[in-house]
Amino acid sequence: MPRAMLATFLVMGGGATPALAKDETLCRAGFVCASYPEGVLRAMTDAGLTAKLGVDRQGDPSIEGEGAGYKFDVFFYGCENKKQCDSLQFQVSFSASPELDTEFANKWNVSKRFLQAGIRENGVLAFSYDLTTVGGVSADNFDDVLVWWQVMLDEVGNFFDANRPKDEKPADAPAADPVVTPTAS
């Protein structure tokens, strides 16, 4: 079916009506696209994550999620007029504390490839993973991203346990409590 006919079919109620991506292609069936936040949300809940669609401080879509014992956010980037976003950022943040500094973040970064840690100006430690979705990410690949994200969240907890200053919490105390701290998109 030609693209123009497919778009007319979808708009007239012939199926879901995802937003158009910047490359002007529809988010195809079986794919996940940042241009279609509801599809990202559905893929996350289908994978067993708790997720709720909302908006960030700039009015762009965002998702509050929970998995592997952590609360986290998924931010939508590259948006045009709060729509047609082209990428996602998964992010978990931790309250500022003196031991969570750039040295702590860099210790993580030298041993991890995709999930990167950074300290914001306000001292909050954030771990983030970025994913472009222009043209769509297959459902299988996105499922793998979600599994990987949860594995890395577990690794964050292990990293806290292994790198906690000796005079901080006892060994049986839980890792640092995550807080949801949205960043500017």
Side-chain angles (χ1 to χ4, degrees):
M1 178 181 299
R3 189 178 300 176
M5 289 177 59
L6 177 61
T8 302
F9 172 77
L10 291 172
V11 169
M12 295 185 73
T17 56
L20 295 176
K22 285 184 181 180
D23 63 2
E24 297 184 9
T25 59
L26 291 173
C27 188
R28 299 171 288 168
F31 283 75
V32 177
C33 306
S35 62
Y36 184 42
E38 295 81 2
V40 176
L41 177 70
R42 185 174 50 248
M44 291 175 66
T45 57
D46 287 352
L49 296 170
T50 301
K52 180 178 130 187
L53 187 60
V55 295
D56 67 12
R57 292 178 184 168
Q58 289 70 41
D60 291 328
S62 67
I63 295 175
E64 292 179 5
E66 191 170 335
Y70 290 93
K71 292 182 181 181
F72 62 87
D73 291 298
V74 179
F75 296 105
F76 290 69
Y77 281 88
C79 305
E80 292 181 7
N81 299 318
K82 321 262 183 259
K83 298 178 184 175
Q84 296 180 314
C85 309
D86 64 9
S87 58
L88 303 170
Q89 182 181 78
F90 290 77
Q91 185 181 108
V92 62
S93 301
F94 298 86
S95 299
S97 66
E99 66 276 357
L100 302 181
D101 58 11
T102 53
E103 183 178 334
F104 185 86
N106 287 338
K107 189 171 183 178
W108 169 274
N109 291 336
V110 297
S111 65
K112 304 299 179 191
R113 181 174 172 199
F114 294 105
L115 188 67
Q116 292 296 292
I119 304 293
R120 296 195 198 122
E121 288 180 15
N122 63 359
V124 167
L125 171 66
F127 292 85
S128 59
Y129 170 66
D130 291 275
L131 174 70
T132 182
T133 67
V134 172
V137 175
S138 74
D140 287 343
N141 183 252
F142 195 74
D143 284 345
D144 185 58
V145 166
L146 296 176
V147 167
W148 175 88
W149 172 246
Q150 293 178 84
V151 166
M152 292 311 297
L153 289 176
D154 284 337
E155 287 296 312
V156 166
N158 294 337
F159 184 76
F160 272 98
D161 291 342
N163 293 282
R164 180 175 292 121
K166 304 284 186 246
D167 61 339
E168 196 186 310
K169 297 178 185 177
D172 61 341
D177 294 327
V179 293
V180 178
T181 309
T183 60
S185 57

